[in-house]
Amino acid sequence: MDILDQSVVLTALPAIQETTGAGPDTLQWLTTGYSLPVAIGLITGGRLGDLYGRRRLLLMGAVVFTTASLLCGLAAGPGVLIGARALQGIGVALMIPQILASLHVTLEGKNRSRAFGLYGAVLSIANVLGPVMGGLLTEADFFGLSWRPIFLINVPVGLAVILLGRRFIPESTAKKADRLDLTGVLLSILAIIMIVFPLSEGHVHHWPLWCFALLASGGLVLGAFVRQQQRKQGNAPLLPLPLFRGRQFSGGTAAQFVHGLLCGLFFMTWTLYLQRGLGMSPVEAAIAFVLLSVGELAGATIAAKSAGRFARRLPQTGTLITIAAMGGYGLQIAADQASLTLLGMAAPVVLIGFGLGMVSGPLADMTLARVPHEDAGAASGLFNTAMHLGIALGTALTALAFFATTNGSPDAALNRDAFRTVLWWVTSLLALMWALMFCLPKQAGDQAD
């Protein structure tokens, strides 16, 4: 539901603008208003699951998300729609940390690795379905509802999650359920807002001074949060800092941050390259994303079947495949220029997705493998927060890596040149992610608790 709702909205934005009269800034907030509460709430949501029950928090989040989806579908104006999207983000922040945490504490060994692999495959399926469903549901205009079914479809899915979750998901909590660290919650929320908000909005407003002032202030608040957490260790902290003493968790979380960084940079600029650099229609660009997502699904399926047998070699191999595919894609772009077609780029695009698909599940599995069960929710929340922060920073980097060359111009040649520059950035980030994975276990048996 989370991945679908991130991507399904993008293809429906023109229809939403037409029927609600929303301006460009309002449309921006349809995505920012969703992603900001998610980034803010993941760490707190994970800790709440540790303290009060992971199944309970997952089901509460599903109730909030499903209710918010209904409100989105019924919204008469852009203001209500943005508010409902923010409520969806709160539901996601409660739900998402409980998924990885529940898999971690209820399964062991190969069963857990297989589950994490399937988790990666599910994300890939959602990536495939998102843009396709957004286009089909909006185009079909069921009962004259235009874009509204993209939200209303969450209602039966959410109800199924609630009913099946109550029956099949075992409850789990930390052995010592202490009180929530409210001071830590407030400091973490303030720090993330002051960092994520300017990263999300800076490129829209051409990076005014207040963006840099907020970022600097956010860094100071983050430092205050870390000092406060150091004093709270042993007294129910929000964030168990000893987690970072193990290079498996710290290195894996850093690799997840870089993963988000390169995804935020690549996917935003790729869609601009496809439509402005090659003159593709939105439908053709969506097909290109489907090609990549199909490759991602194949890679995730292999990761799921491997069930942790290859330890860090599996995601590192996927990263090397992606690096090679990016290099081949760059050579194609340089050689074919404006004549590159969907069929011509199919091989490198599918391989890029295939390599990335081999990363997500195994990276999550090995990063969290040695986390104590009582800290599983907090660790999962932090791991997911790293991805969201990386995406926000990667999106911000488009101003330096892409728009610095195009200056917003629709000129096809400029957009092609800018995207080739982006591929160098992304390849460098992939190499960094590959290096960080040396912090993960070398042998499959090393990741057992």
Side-chain angles (χ1 to χ4, degrees), residues 265-266 268-280 329-330 333-334 337-338 340 398 401-423:
L265 178 59
F266 176 74
M268 181 175 179
T269 56
W270 190 40
T271 188
L272 293 171
Y273 159 72
L274 292 173
Q275 295 184 60
R276 293 181 179 177
L278 296 181
M280 290 186 180
Y329 194 28
I333 293 171
Q337 297 290 332
L340 189 58
T398 58
F402 187 83
F403 291 114
T405 301
T406 66
N407 291 316
S409 169
D411 181 77
L414 280 177
N415 279 271
R416 290 194 298 270
D417 290 342
F419 185 65
R420 283 205 304 272
T421 302
V422 167
L423 289 182

Side-chain angles (χ1 to χ4, degrees), residues 9-24 26-27 30 75-78 81 138-139 141 144-148:
V9 173
L10 298 177
T11 51
L13 285 177
I16 292 173
Q17 185 173 25
E18 182 180 344
T19 57
T20 64
T26 302
L27 291 180
L30 287 179
L81 184 55
T138 303
E139 187 71 23
D141 193 21
L145 293 174
S146 184
W147 50 269
R148 299 179 187 277

